[in-house]
Amino acid sequence: MLEVKDISAAYGKAIALKDISLYVGEGEIVSLIGANGAGKTTTLRVITGILRPLRGDVVFQEKSIVGMEPYQIASLGIIHVPEGRGLFPDMTVRENLEMGAFMRTDRDEIERDMEFVYSLFPVLKEREKQLAGTLSGGEQQMLAIGKGLMGGPKLLLLDEPSLGLAPLLVDRIFETINQINRERRVTILIAEQNAYMALSISHRAYVIENGVTVMEGTGKDLLGNEHVRKAYLGI
Ligand SMILES: Nc1ncnc2c1ncn2[C@@H]1O[C@H](COP(=O)(O)OP(=O)(O)OP(=O)(O)O)[C@@H](O)[C@H]1O
Ligand SMILES: [Mg+2]
């Protein structure tokens, strides 16, 4: 479904990615794990068209999308839930969800997706009229994922969905990501520092170090891998 081929990218003169390659198959949950500054977020930015790569190609459903504008890429069904969540703090919960669907015209399905989001996160329904900026960190993360779902994703890109959340809530969020994948058949690519949680729910994963993919495997294999255990799981 998505192929990132030998991508190099930089911010000014600072090289952030050096020939990154990865693949996400239809229906999969794939994770990118790695330390601070490894290049996870940058990889997602290249996929969404926010950052133009120096070299390489990104192919989505057999078409190259490098050089397309972010809104065009979003309209193909690649929906990004950014680090920092990308909410409109002065708009209500419901308005944020509606903004997530602004490129769509299928009214009935939008309404159905809204109900699906509220069934995943009932607290959002209770707080429908509350301003997004006044939600707790965990509620904002739920809203960010909900807003992403309202975009009608074929491929959902989640950047650090567990960031800043209490352990119980981290479990919930990852369970919900799994549920979205299973029930809605949404393909999911996650950038995540919480390697244990990410690997636990992923079909496959890549380890990124200094802008390079250094390892690839099933979630299960990487959870058992010596290097991954030492460097990322603290075992
Ligand atoms: N806007 C920017 N301007 C300059 N350099 C940047 C910018 N954003 C990221 N970088 C640099 O690019 C490299 C990769 O950063 P990136 O944000 O992709 O890492 P990451 O793997 O997402 O890390 P984290 O786990 O901390 O989110 C880092 O060295 C970082 O300092
Ligand atoms: Mg990041």
Side-chain angles (χ1 to χ4, degrees):
M1 169 178 245
L2 178 85
E3 207 173 343
V4 171
K5 294 182 182 171
D6 300 321
I7 285 284
S8 296
Y11 299 97
K13 287 194 174 136
I15 301 285
L17 302 179
K18 304 164 210 157
D19 294 330
I20 282 243
S21 293
L22 60 96
Y23 172 77
V24 184
E26 180 133 28
E28 280 191 307
I29 301 178
V30 174
S31 287
L32 309 178
I33 64 170
N36 287 122
K40 305 180 295 295
T41 296
T42 304
T43 303
L44 298 189
R45 285 197 186 126
V46 168
I47 295 169
T48 56
I50 299 169
L51 182 68
R52 293 230 168 150
L54 300 171
R55 272 193 308 282
D57 201 3
V58 180
V59 177
F60 180 64
Q61 295 185 320
E62 268 101 68
K63 259 180 52 188
S64 174
I65 59 170
V66 163
M68 288 172 66
E69 296 296 330
Y71 78 90
Q72 294 175 305
I73 292 175
S75 72
L76 296 175
I78 300 182
I79 306 293
H80 186 203
V81 178
E83 216 174 12
R85 303 183 179 136
L87 297 174
F88 300 100
D90 297 328
M91 293 171 85
T92 66
V93 166
R94 188 176 181 94
E95 286 164 348
N96 268 276
L97 292 174
E98 286 167 354
M99 287 304 286
F102 87 101
M103 285 195 298
R104 297 169 62 185
T105 51
D106 45 342
R107 279 285 132 209
D108 290 350
E109 277 191 45
I110 290 174
E111 204 45 51
R112 226 172 303 148
D113 285 348
M114 185 85 79
E115 289 312 311
F116 179 63
V117 169
Y118 284 151
S119 73
L120 288 177
F121 305 116
V123 67
L124 295 181
K125 174 85 181 164
E126 287 161 28
R127 294 175 183 274
E128 201 172 41
K129 297 195 174 73
Q130 189 171 325
L131 296 183
T134 65
L135 295 173
S136 75
E139 289 163 352
Q140 290 192 27
Q141 187 56 270
M142 295 178 205
L143 181 55
I145 293 173
K147 179 167 170 261
L149 283 175
M150 293 304 294
K154 292 189 180 123
L155 174 64
L156 188 62
L157 308 179
L158 300 174
D159 200 346
E160 305 279 357
S162 80
L163 195 71
L165 303 185
L168 264 182
L169 202 47
V170 171
D171 287 352
R172 253 303 304 286
I173 290 283
F174 277 96
E175 239 167 66
T176 307
I177 292 169
N178 209 343
Q179 191 183 349
I180 292 165
N181 172 257
R182 277 194 329 254
E183 291 181 13
R184 283 292 157 121
R185 308 204 160 277
V186 177
T187 307
I188 299 177
L189 178 61
I190 309 173
E192 181 59 63
Q193 275 201 43
N194 186 332
Y196 178 75
M197 286 307 299
L199 293 176
S200 300
I201 68 157
S202 292
H203 300 104
R204 288 185 308 109
Y206 295 86
V207 180
I208 301 186
E209 290 176 2
N210 301 314
V212 188
T213 40
V214 294
M215 220 181 267
E216 175 196 351
T218 64
K220 199 162 165 240
D221 285 348
L222 291 178
L223 275 175
N225 178 277
E226 185 89 13
H227 173 70
V228 172
R229 289 169 78 85
K230 281 208 179 107
Y232 300 104
L233 302 174
I235 300 173

